[in-house]
Amino acid sequence: MSAPRRFLADKLCPVRAKRERRKEARPGELLEAALDLFVEKGFAATRSEEVAARAGVSKGTLFLYFPSKEELFKAVVVENLASLFAGWNQEFEAFEGSTAEMLRYCMRVWWERVASTKASGLTKLMLSEGRNFPELAEFYRKQVVHPGHDLMRRILRRGIDSGEFAPIDVDHAIYAVIAPMLFLMLWKHSVNVCIDGQAELDPETYLSVQTGIVLRGLLAQPGEQTSGKPQRGAPGA
Amino acid sequence: MSAPRRFLADKLCPVRAKRERRKEARPGELLEAALDLFVEKGFAATRSEEVAARAGVSKGTLFLYFPSKEELFKAVVVENLASLFAGWNQEFEAFEGSTAEMLRYCMRVWWERVASTKASGLTKLMLSEGRNFPELAEFYRKQVVHPGHDLMRRILRRGIDSGEFAPIDVDHAIYAVIAPMLFLMLWKHSVNVCIDGQAELDPETYLSVQTGIVLRGLLAQPGEQTSGKPQRGAPGA
Amino acid sequence: MSAPRRFLADKLCPVRAKRERRKEARPGELLEAALDLFVEKGFAATRSEEVAARAGVSKGTLFLYFPSKEELFKAVVVENLASLFAGWNQEFEAFEGSTAEMLRYCMRVWWERVASTKASGLTKLMLSEGRNFPELAEFYRKQVVHPGHDLMRRILRRGIDSGEFAPIDVDHAIYAVIAPMLFLMLWKHSVNVCIDGQAELDPETYLSVQTGIVLRGLLAQPGEQTSGKPQRGAPGA
Amino acid sequence: MSAPRRFLADKLCPVRAKRERRKEARPGELLEAALDLFVEKGFAATRSEEVAARAGVSKGTLFLYFPSKEELFKAVVVENLASLFAGWNQEFEAFEGSTAEMLRYCMRVWWERVASTKASGLTKLMLSEGRNFPELAEFYRKQVVHPGHDLMRRILRRGIDSGEFAPIDVDHAIYAVIAPMLFLMLWKHSVNVCIDGQAELDPETYLSVQTGIVLRGLLAQPGEQTSGKPQRGAPGA
DNA sequence: AATGAATGAGAGTTCATTCAT
DNA sequence: CATGAATGAACTCTCATTCAT
């Protein structure tokens, strides 16, 4: 809302007159306002007019840029989550180093760029309201869940191919990695509602510990035959 | 909806005339319908009329038994969650055995009687919508969160007093125990929305593993000085 | 509700067993409760169930005796107002004395038996809500307004015929007599709502003064030719 | 509805585009429609949608301008009654002449600008329904009754201070002046319901006669000691 | 005769979306 | 482009009346 973020929609704007500048910035301001409010109140409980008001425009203008509240939400998802995968895919394509390092790096990056930001509220939102808005859920799955799983799948496969990881069933192992991430996001956005005091959970420590556990479960253990399933009992798996 | 449950409100009904029979059964039927729908759609998205319809009565009848949608929700919370604590408190008062056993028993019971049932959806609901309905959140905290924390606090204190557990800060350690529970419930009710296939997470195994980890963190370790804080890095803590 | 009033509906009941006694008394109790509530809240705002509750019976019973709320109201009107005219007509038929005395007597009786009791609230109610319930208004006119006007008309005519009163237009003069009565009732039931303190208006003094003024306007004045209209300027006329 | 009245809300509208024009006019149109219907049916019996329909807009539009039916009513009261006092206070502040003249003028003005208009129906409405809507009654008292009484109190005090009026108890004498006004309004709005024909009561004559009577009661009578109370027997006092 | 559970039309209010300006 | 007035379907809750018991 205030920080000088760069929006997808603002990509191609060179230097212009102030007035026009604002015009070009509109979608970004709307997306930012929408993100704030969706995360704060959920999808259904967020009123279009309030989004517009927070972005400093009128109700009509919102619908000028986004044909419906659902489309607005989709745009927020693209802006804050879906669009990240392109860069990540490149990054990991070019990654040099062990897959274990890659996985640690992946989770740290994910924490820094998503989970610790407001964007993680979108995931909580989908978990909360997805069932009531099947089209949004479908969109979210296609734009965020599948790319995320794909990325993770490729990482795991890289590890297996290189002999670093045991030849587990990749499709299931994904969840072992994702579960702690999800938990962190839910904790961040939900638990404060039900627990008065500040819950004591240091996200970075939690994440590093969980990553360690998961990695231990994934790594090929010399002299052991691993099944195609994730280790039963591995936390979050 | 599934099992022949007994509702609080259905105490003393022998055989009676049909009309009266129905009257005795109404609150229970409405509570069951409400539980189903609240869990399925959330509080805001559940329409009173739909609750009534699912219970096989008309709109007006619902308001004959519950003065408002909010009161209906509260009744559902009492019926399915809050009312359980009385029995549990007694049970644990009378428990004989080590506190470690007690804790394991506690978590198993909680899984069987709450988390594995629809009732756990109420917790997910509160996490999702609590912020939008402060009065409900307040009620839920008083009726469910506080009693739950109290119970857990007493268990931990028992362990510390008996020398079984290290002299940790009880108020923080609570979360180490509760976090995996919460996670299981959220997983159960939310993740299926975002992930197409059935995620592979065997709740009972997960729970037993988590309990083991937590217990290891709690137990007094001979020859070691524990601080008043839970072990950093203990999962969920 | 408490006083040992006799209801029309209780007319024909000799001495019976208590149980049956109550049964016979039901309509009366309902009428009394209805009178209270209609006067207190008005017709529309009075809930049938509350009438039943105040009479100590169930909602269903009310509709057993009175087929609808409107019929209940009509019965209340008959019980408390319409039924009075029969006696009054007789009384005034048999009255011996000057018509001026008769008029004074009439107004005192009306005050004592109607205006100073709850029954006057029915008049205020009709003035307030009559337009919203045309059938009730029609009924009230037929049962109360017309008999009242008839009575008054006969009194005036008696005075004119005997030469006591000037040969005024009776149909208009009626209002000169009725206006102060109406005002008293409205004052009694309405003004307390808008004026915090107790308004200082002694009804009996007011009535006697007004009666005096009206009478002075009505009496034949020796040597003067009165038109067929009431004196312009006569209060309330 | 009839005259080309100017509404408070319609202050500064020159010629504008149609849409905007309408917007400026809306509150006034709604207030006028609301006044009509409130006076015709009372507060409770007036449906929001009907107000909107009579103003030529849809249900939703009404709530665009007034957040609730109660607020709409308050606005109607302000528009038609409360807002008048400011001007009157000034007018009477600047009045030159005897207090008796002032009082006559006051009552004539009140008749012309209030009692003879639809606005007087609001007073009748409050008398009828005030008890069922305490918040409205409170508002009406603060906005209309108290300013009215204050104004009247100041007039009476002026008369007493100047020696014109006897040193009566002002707080009680107020009612002697107000009672005939109230009566006229009630007569106007209520009596036609119960009496078929047009009752013959010429308001202006009635008012002038009543004012005369009241004034005679108020004027200081040379050589007589008046008590602090209004004359018992003075009409309406 | 008496009950009170059940009904359902209807009231006030909200809000995503449209469209004239 | 931008506005914001206007819409109307949808939602919660009320209450006179019915009718099985």
Side-chain angles (χ1 to χ4, degrees):
Chain A
M1 200 176 183
S2 47
R5 286 183 59 197
R6 268 295 88 97
F7 290 98
L8 276 192
D10 302 346
K11 278 290 160 59
L12 2 114
C13 61
V15 190
R16 300 217 197 172
K18 260 178 255 168
R19 186 62 191 284
E20 262 177 277
R21 184 71 259 280
R22 284 224 54 174
K23 225 193 281 189
E24 297 289 317
R26 279 285 150 71
E29 288 165 4
L30 283 164
L31 288 172
E32 185 139 17
L35 175 63
D36 284 0
L37 286 164
F38 283 145
V39 168
E40 190 182 324
K41 314 187 162 205
F43 178 74
T46 292
R47 291 168 39 209
S48 311
E49 187 160 20
E50 208 179 346
V51 174
R54 188 177 293 210
V57 300
S58 75
K59 219 179 344 178
T61 304
L62 171 61
F63 286 90
L64 209 62
Y65 288 97
F66 306 96
S68 74
K69 199 177 156 188
E70 294 219 342
E71 292 304 317
L72 171 63
F73 182 79
K74 289 182 187 174
V76 169
V77 167
V78 168
E79 177 79 34
N80 293 280
L81 295 177
S83 64
L84 301 174
F85 286 104
W88 285 349
N89 283 335
Q90 288 190 332
E91 226 175 308
F92 285 102
E93 212 67 58
F95 192 89
E96 298 182 2
S98 73
T99 307
E101 280 165 7
M102 193 188 222
L103 197 67
R104 284 190 184 280
Y105 176 68
C106 167
M107 295 185 83
R108 208 179 59 244
V109 158
W110 167 85
W111 166 257
E112 284 164 4
R113 302 194 202 155
V114 177
S116 66
T117 73
K118 273 180 300 193
S120 56
L122 295 173
T123 300
K124 181 243 171 178
L125 188 157
M126 286 312 309
L127 295 177
S128 296
E129 301 186 74
R131 223 177 332 195
N132 294 331
F133 301 95
E135 198 194 321
L136 295 186
E138 175 67 13
F139 182 84
Y140 183 80
R141 269 196 299 271
K142 279 210 183 114
Q143 297 286 317
V144 180
V145 176
H146 292 170
H149 285 197
D150 285 346
L151 179 55
M152 197 52 67
R153 197 177 287 115
R154 259 177 286 137
I155 294 175
L156 293 179
R157 200 154 284 153
R158 181 185 191 266
I160 295 170
D161 290 347
S162 71
E164 257 183 292
F165 292 173
I168 47 173
D169 175 12
V170 170
D171 284 336
H172 290 102
I174 286 173
Y175 300 117
V177 186
I178 287 169
M181 294 178 172
L182 274 178
F183 179 64
L184 256 188
M185 291 194 292
L186 292 173
W187 186 269
K188 190 168 174 304
H189 286 281
S190 298
V191 174
N192 58 340
V193 175
C194 291
I195 302 180
D196 314 279
Q198 297 290 77
E200 290 295 318
L201 183 140
D202 177 57
E204 317 220 6
T205 308
Y206 171 79
L207 206 61
S208 115
V209 170
Q210 292 292 330
T211 310
I213 294 171
V214 169
L215 269 178
R216 228 177 302 142
L218 290 173
L219 291 174
Q221 291 172 23
E224 199 196 326
Q225 281 304 80
T226 43
S227 78
K229 285 240 173 183
Q231 304 286 91
R232 282 285 167 197
Chain B
M1 200 184 180
S2 45
R5 288 182 58 197
R6 268 299 82 101
F7 289 97
L8 280 190
D10 301 347
K11 277 297 161 48
L12 12 98
C13 57
V15 189
R16 296 221 197 171
K18 253 181 263 166
R19 190 72 170 257
E20 240 174 301
R21 184 72 259 280
R22 302 199 77 189
K23 188 239 168 165
E24 299 279 314
R26 279 279 176 272
E29 291 165 8
L30 285 164
L31 287 172
E32 184 138 16
L35 176 62
D36 283 1
L37 285 163
F38 283 146
V39 168
E40 191 182 322
K41 314 190 155 197
F43 178 76
T46 293
R47 295 184 300 116
S48 310
E49 192 161 14
E50 206 178 348
V51 174
R54 185 174 295 209
V57 299
S58 76
K59 204 175 18 168
T61 303
L62 171 60
F63 291 94
L64 223 53
Y65 292 93
F66 304 96
S68 73
K69 197 178 156 188
E70 293 222 340
E71 291 303 316
L72 172 63
F73 182 79
K74 290 182 187 176
V76 168
V77 166
V78 168
E79 177 80 32
N80 293 280
L81 295 177
S83 64
L84 301 174
F85 287 103
W88 286 349
N89 284 334
Q90 287 190 332
E91 226 175 308
F92 286 101
E93 213 66 59
F95 192 90
E96 298 183 0
S98 73
T99 307
E101 279 164 9
M102 194 188 223
L103 197 67
R104 284 190 183 281
Y105 176 68
C106 168
M107 294 184 84
R108 207 179 61 242
V109 159
W110 167 85
W111 165 257
E112 284 164 5
R113 302 193 202 156
V114 177
S116 67
T117 73
K118 273 178 300 190
S120 56
L122 295 174
T123 299
K124 180 242 171 178
L125 188 159
M126 286 312 309
L127 295 177
S128 296
E129 301 187 73
R131 228 182 323 200
N132 293 331
F133 299 95
E135 199 194 320
L136 295 185
E138 175 69 11
F139 182 84
Y140 183 81
R141 269 197 298 272
K142 278 211 184 112
Q143 297 285 318
V144 180
V145 176
H146 292 169
H149 285 196
D150 284 347
L151 181 54
M152 196 54 68
R153 199 177 284 115
R154 260 177 287 136
I155 294 176
L156 293 179
R157 201 155 281 152
R158 183 185 189 265
I160 295 170
D161 290 347
S162 72
E164 259 183 290
F165 292 173
I168 47 171
D169 176 11
V170 170
D171 285 333
H172 289 101
I174 284 174
Y175 300 117
V177 186
I178 285 170
M181 295 180 173
L182 273 179
F183 179 64
L184 257 188
M185 291 194 291
L186 291 173
W187 186 268
K188 188 170 176 306
H189 286 281
S190 297
V191 174
N192 58 342
V193 175
C194 292
I195 302 180
D196 314 283
Q198 295 292 78
E200 290 295 317
L201 181 141
D202 177 58
E204 318 220 7
T205 308
Y206 172 79
L207 207 60
S208 119
V209 170
Q210 292 292 330
T211 310
I213 295 172
V214 169
L215 268 178
R216 226 176 303 141
L218 291 173
L219 292 175
Q221 293 172 21
E224 200 196 325
Q225 280 306 78
T226 41
S227 79
K229 283 243 175 183
Q231 305 285 92
R232 281 287 169 194
Chain C
M1 198 175 184
S2 46
R5 288 181 58 196
R6 267 297 85 99
F7 290 99
L8 276 192
D10 303 346
K11 279 288 161 58
L12 0 116
C13 62
V15 189
R16 298 218 198 170
K18 260 177 256 167
R19 185 63 190 283
E20 262 176 279
R21 184 71 260 280
R22 284 226 53 176
K23 225 192 281 189
E24 297 290 318
R26 279 286 148 71
E29 288 164 3
L30 283 163
L31 288 172
E32 184 137 20
L35 175 62
D36 283 0
L37 286 163
F38 283 145
V39 168
E40 190 182 324
K41 314 186 162 206
F43 178 74
T46 292
R47 292 168 39 209
S48 312
E49 187 161 19
E50 206 178 350
V51 174
R54 188 176 293 210
V57 300
S58 75
K59 220 181 339 180
T61 304
L62 171 60
F63 286 90
L64 209 62
Y65 288 97
F66 306 96
S68 73
K69 198 176 154 187
E70 296 219 341
E71 291 304 316
L72 171 63
F73 182 78
K74 290 181 187 174
V76 169
V77 167
V78 169
E79 177 78 36
N80 293 280
L81 296 177
S83 65
L84 301 174
F85 287 102
W88 285 349
N89 283 335
Q90 287 191 333
E91 227 176 306
F92 285 102
E93 215 64 60
F95 192 90
E96 298 182 1
S98 74
T99 307
E101 280 165 9
M102 193 189 225
L103 197 66
R104 285 191 183 280
Y105 176 67
C106 168
M107 293 185 85
R108 208 179 59 243
V109 159
W110 167 85
W111 166 256
E112 284 165 4
R113 303 197 202 153
V114 177
S116 67
T117 73
K118 273 179 301 193
S120 56
L122 295 173
T123 299
K124 180 243 171 179
L125 188 159
M126 285 312 309
L127 295 177
S128 296
E129 302 185 72
R131 224 181 327 198
N132 294 332
F133 301 94
E135 198 195 320
L136 294 186
E138 175 67 12
F139 181 85
Y140 183 81
R141 268 195 300 270
K142 278 210 183 113
Q143 296 287 317
V144 181
V145 176
H146 293 170
H149 286 197
D150 284 348
L151 181 53
M152 196 54 66
R153 197 176 287 116
R154 261 177 285 137
I155 295 174
L156 294 179
R157 200 153 284 152
R158 182 185 191 266
I160 294 169
D161 290 349
S162 72
E164 257 183 291
F165 292 173
I168 46 172
D169 174 10
V170 171
D171 284 335
H172 290 103
I174 285 174
Y175 301 117
V177 187
I178 286 170
M181 293 179 174
L182 273 178
F183 180 63
L184 256 190
M185 290 195 292
L186 291 172
W187 186 269
K188 189 171 175 302
H189 287 281
S190 298
V191 174
N192 58 341
V193 175
C194 292
I195 301 179
D196 313 281
Q198 298 291 77
E200 290 295 317
L201 182 141
D202 177 58
E204 317 219 6
T205 309
Y206 173 79
L207 206 60
S208 115
V209 171
Q210 293 292 330
T211 310
I213 294 171
V214 169
L215 270 177
R216 227 176 303 142
L218 291 172
L219 291 174
Q221 291 171 23
E224 199 197 327
Q225 282 303 82
T226 42
S227 78
K229 284 240 174 184
Q231 304 285 93
R232 283 286 168 194
Chain D
M1 196 179 180
S2 45
R5 288 182 57 198
R6 268 297 83 103
F7 288 97
L8 278 190
D10 301 346
K11 280 294 161 50
L12 12 98
C13 56
V15 189
R16 297 222 197 171
K18 253 181 261 168
R19 190 71 171 256
E20 242 173 300
R21 185 73 257 280
R22 302 199 77 189
K23 189 240 168 160
E24 300 279 315
R26 278 280 175 271
E29 290 166 9
L30 285 164
L31 287 172
E32 185 138 16
L35 175 63
D36 283 0
L37 285 164
F38 283 145
V39 168
E40 189 182 325
K41 315 190 153 197
F43 178 75
T46 294
R47 296 183 300 115
S48 310
E49 191 161 14
E50 206 178 348
V51 174
R54 185 174 295 208
V57 298
S58 77
K59 203 171 19 165
T61 303
L62 171 61
F63 290 92
L64 223 53
Y65 292 92
F66 305 96
S68 72
K69 198 178 156 187
E70 294 222 340
E71 291 303 317
L72 172 63
F73 181 78
K74 290 183 187 175
V76 169
V77 167
V78 169
E79 177 79 34
N80 292 282
L81 295 177
S83 63
L84 302 174
F85 286 102
W88 286 349
N89 283 334
Q90 288 190 332
E91 225 175 309
F92 286 102
E93 212 67 58
F95 193 91
E96 297 183 3
S98 74
T99 307
E101 281 165 7
M102 193 188 224
L103 197 66
R104 286 189 182 280
Y105 175 68
C106 167
M107 293 185 84
R108 207 179 60 243
V109 158
W110 167 85
W111 165 256
E112 284 165 4
R113 303 196 202 154
V114 177
S116 67
T117 73
K118 272 178 301 190
S120 56
L122 295 173
T123 300
K124 181 243 170 178
L125 187 158
M126 286 312 309
L127 294 177
S128 295
E129 302 187 75
R131 225 181 328 197
N132 293 331
F133 300 94
E135 198 195 319
L136 295 185
E138 174 69 11
F139 182 84
Y140 184 81
R141 267 196 300 271
K142 280 211 184 111
Q143 296 285 317
V144 180
V145 176
H146 292 170
H149 285 196
D150 284 347
L151 180 54
M152 195 54 66
R153 198 177 286 116
R154 259 176 288 137
I155 294 175
L156 293 179
R157 199 155 285 152
R158 182 184 190 266
I160 295 170
D161 291 347
S162 72
E164 258 183 290
F165 291 174
I168 46 171
D169 175 12
V170 170
D171 286 333
H172 290 102
I174 285 174
Y175 300 117
V177 185
I178 286 171
M181 294 180 175
L182 273 179
F183 178 65
L184 256 188
M185 291 194 291
L186 291 173
W187 185 268
K188 188 170 176 307
H189 287 280
S190 298
V191 173
N192 58 343
V193 176
C194 291
I195 301 179
D196 314 282
Q198 297 289 79
E200 289 296 316
L201 182 142
D202 177 58
E204 317 219 7
T205 309
Y206 172 78
L207 208 59
S208 118
V209 170
Q210 291 293 329
T211 310
I213 295 172
V214 169
L215 269 177
R216 225 176 305 140
L218 291 172
L219 292 174
Q221 293 171 23
E224 197 197 326
Q225 281 305 80
T226 42
S227 78
K229 283 245 176 182
Q231 305 285 92
R232 282 285 169 197

PDB file of all heavy atoms in Angstrom, chain B residues 194-206:
ATOM      1  N   CYS B 194      -7.356 -27.806  -1.585  1.00  0.00           N
ATOM      2  CA  CYS B 194      -6.322 -27.307  -2.473  1.00  0.00           C
ATOM      3  C   CYS B 194      -5.554 -28.403  -3.175  1.00  0.00           C
ATOM      4  O   CYS B 194      -4.841 -28.149  -4.125  1.00  0.00           O
ATOM      5  CB  CYS B 194      -5.354 -26.441  -1.684  1.00  0.00           C
ATOM      6  SG  CYS B 194      -6.146 -24.949  -1.141  1.00  0.00           S
ATOM      7  N   ILE B 195      -5.671 -29.562  -2.677  1.00  0.00           N
ATOM      8  CA  ILE B 195      -4.918 -30.660  -3.273  1.00  0.00           C
ATOM      9  C   ILE B 195      -5.917 -31.680  -3.788  1.00  0.00           C
ATOM     10  O   ILE B 195      -6.778 -32.140  -3.046  1.00  0.00           O
ATOM     11  CB  ILE B 195      -3.988 -31.286  -2.228  1.00  0.00           C
ATOM     12  CG1 ILE B 195      -3.046 -30.218  -1.685  1.00  0.00           C
ATOM     13  CG2 ILE B 195      -3.220 -32.431  -2.833  1.00  0.00           C
ATOM     14  CD1 ILE B 195      -2.087 -30.715  -0.654  1.00  0.00           C
ATOM     15  N   ASP B 196      -5.792 -31.995  -5.050  1.00  0.00           N
ATOM     16  CA  ASP B 196      -6.817 -32.831  -5.664  1.00  0.00           C
ATOM     17  C   ASP B 196      -6.891 -34.202  -5.006  1.00  0.00           C
ATOM     18  O   ASP B 196      -7.883 -34.575  -4.412  1.00  0.00           O
ATOM     19  CB  ASP B 196      -6.526 -32.988  -7.155  1.00  0.00           C
ATOM     20  CG  ASP B 196      -6.182 -31.663  -7.787  1.00  0.00           C
ATOM     21  OD1 ASP B 196      -7.116 -30.879  -8.030  1.00  0.00           O
ATOM     22  OD2 ASP B 196      -4.984 -31.401  -7.998  1.00  0.00           O
ATOM     23  N   GLY B 197      -5.786 -34.921  -5.142  1.00  0.00           N
ATOM     24  CA  GLY B 197      -5.787 -36.282  -4.611  1.00  0.00           C
ATOM     25  C   GLY B 197      -5.841 -36.271  -3.091  1.00  0.00           C
ATOM     26  O   GLY B 197      -5.842 -35.221  -2.449  1.00  0.00           O
ATOM     27  N   GLN B 198      -5.967 -37.429  -2.546  1.00  0.00           N
ATOM     28  CA  GLN B 198      -5.945 -37.544  -1.096  1.00  0.00           C
ATOM     29  C   GLN B 198      -4.511 -37.392  -0.625  1.00  0.00           C
ATOM     30  O   GLN B 198      -3.639 -38.149  -1.028  1.00  0.00           O
ATOM     31  CB  GLN B 198      -6.438 -38.939  -0.682  1.00  0.00           C
ATOM     32  CG  GLN B 198      -7.877 -39.200  -1.030  1.00  0.00           C
ATOM     33  CD  GLN B 198      -8.809 -38.330  -0.194  1.00  0.00           C
ATOM     34  OE1 GLN B 198      -8.966 -37.150  -0.484  1.00  0.00           O
ATOM     35  NE2 GLN B 198      -9.397 -38.903   0.814  1.00  0.00           N
ATOM     36  N   ALA B 199      -4.307 -36.438   0.187  1.00  0.00           N
ATOM     37  CA  ALA B 199      -2.955 -36.292   0.696  1.00  0.00           C
ATOM     38  C   ALA B 199      -2.647 -37.459   1.624  1.00  0.00           C
ATOM     39  O   ALA B 199      -3.503 -37.892   2.389  1.00  0.00           O
ATOM     40  CB  ALA B 199      -2.833 -34.978   1.453  1.00  0.00           C
ATOM     41  N   GLU B 200      -1.439 -37.920   1.540  1.00  0.00           N
ATOM     42  CA  GLU B 200      -1.085 -39.083   2.346  1.00  0.00           C
ATOM     43  C   GLU B 200      -0.591 -38.650   3.710  1.00  0.00           C
ATOM     44  O   GLU B 200       0.560 -38.278   3.882  1.00  0.00           O
ATOM     45  CB  GLU B 200       0.009 -39.882   1.644  1.00  0.00           C
ATOM     46  CG  GLU B 200      -0.452 -40.594   0.403  1.00  0.00           C
ATOM     47  CD  GLU B 200      -1.472 -41.678   0.723  1.00  0.00           C
ATOM     48  OE1 GLU B 200      -1.270 -42.412   1.714  1.00  0.00           O
ATOM     49  OE2 GLU B 200      -2.487 -41.769   0.009  1.00  0.00           O
ATOM     50  N   LEU B 201      -1.453 -38.640   4.651  1.00  0.00           N
ATOM     51  CA  LEU B 201      -1.011 -38.328   6.002  1.00  0.00           C
ATOM     52  C   LEU B 201      -1.858 -39.164   6.936  1.00  0.00           C
ATOM     53  O   LEU B 201      -3.056 -38.923   7.075  1.00  0.00           O
ATOM     54  CB  LEU B 201      -1.190 -36.837   6.276  1.00  0.00           C
ATOM     55  CG  LEU B 201      -0.736 -36.346   7.648  1.00  0.00           C
ATOM     56  CD1 LEU B 201      -0.079 -34.993   7.537  1.00  0.00           C
ATOM     57  CD2 LEU B 201      -1.880 -36.313   8.638  1.00  0.00           C
ATOM     58  N   ASP B 202      -1.246 -40.141   7.491  1.00  0.00           N
ATOM     59  CA  ASP B 202      -1.999 -40.994   8.396  1.00  0.00           C
ATOM     60  C   ASP B 202      -2.063 -40.314   9.751  1.00  0.00           C
ATOM     61  O   ASP B 202      -1.043 -40.166  10.433  1.00  0.00           O
ATOM     62  CB  ASP B 202      -1.330 -42.355   8.526  1.00  0.00           C
ATOM     63  CG  ASP B 202      -2.077 -43.219   9.521  1.00  0.00           C
ATOM     64  OD1 ASP B 202      -3.281 -43.446   9.306  1.00  0.00           O
ATOM     65  OD2 ASP B 202      -1.467 -43.617  10.527  1.00  0.00           O
ATOM     66  N   PRO B 203      -3.240 -39.866  10.135  1.00  0.00           N
ATOM     67  CA  PRO B 203      -3.346 -39.014  11.318  1.00  0.00           C
ATOM     68  C   PRO B 203      -2.817 -39.694  12.565  1.00  0.00           C
ATOM     69  O   PRO B 203      -2.127 -39.076  13.363  1.00  0.00           O
ATOM     70  CB  PRO B 203      -4.850 -38.767  11.446  1.00  0.00           C
ATOM     71  CG  PRO B 203      -5.423 -39.097  10.124  1.00  0.00           C
ATOM     72  CD  PRO B 203      -4.549 -40.139   9.530  1.00  0.00           C
ATOM     73  N   GLU B 204      -3.119 -40.961  12.700  1.00  0.00           N
ATOM     74  CA  GLU B 204      -2.742 -41.619  13.947  1.00  0.00           C
ATOM     75  C   GLU B 204      -1.233 -41.762  14.055  1.00  0.00           C
ATOM     76  O   GLU B 204      -0.664 -41.545  15.123  1.00  0.00           O
ATOM     77  CB  GLU B 204      -3.453 -42.974  14.044  1.00  0.00           C
ATOM     78  CG  GLU B 204      -4.916 -42.876  13.585  1.00  0.00           C
ATOM     79  CD  GLU B 204      -5.881 -43.693  14.430  1.00  0.00           C
ATOM     80  OE1 GLU B 204      -5.474 -44.245  15.455  1.00  0.00           O
ATOM     81  OE2 GLU B 204      -7.073 -43.748  14.046  1.00  0.00           O
ATOM     82  N   THR B 205      -0.624 -42.103  12.943  1.00  0.00           N
ATOM     83  CA  THR B 205       0.834 -42.183  12.970  1.00  0.00           C
ATOM     84  C   THR B 205       1.427 -40.808  13.240  1.00  0.00           C
ATOM     85  O   THR B 205       2.301 -40.642  14.104  1.00  0.00           O
ATOM     86  CB  THR B 205       1.360 -42.684  11.607  1.00  0.00           C
ATOM     87  OG1 THR B 205       0.673 -43.882  11.261  1.00  0.00           O
ATOM     88  CG2 THR B 205       2.847 -42.945  11.685  1.00  0.00           C
ATOM     89  N   TYR B 206       0.919 -39.832  12.495  1.00  0.00           N
ATOM     90  CA  TYR B 206       1.417 -38.478  12.675  1.00  0.00           C
ATOM     91  C   TYR B 206       1.338 -38.071  14.137  1.00  0.00           C
ATOM     92  O   TYR B 206       2.285 -37.551  14.728  1.00  0.00           O
ATOM     93  CB  TYR B 206       0.617 -37.504  11.818  1.00  0.00           C
ATOM     94  CG  TYR B 206       0.931 -36.051  12.079  1.00  0.00           C
ATOM     95  CD1 TYR B 206       2.062 -35.463  11.541  1.00  0.00           C
ATOM     96  CD2 TYR B 206       0.093 -35.281  12.883  1.00  0.00           C
ATOM     97  CE1 TYR B 206       2.367 -34.141  11.783  1.00  0.00           C
ATOM     98  CE2 TYR B 206       0.387 -33.947  13.134  1.00  0.00           C
ATOM     99  CZ  TYR B 206       1.525 -33.387  12.581  1.00  0.00           C
ATOM    100  OH  TYR B 206       1.822 -32.063  12.835  1.00  0.00           O
TER     101      TYR B 206
END
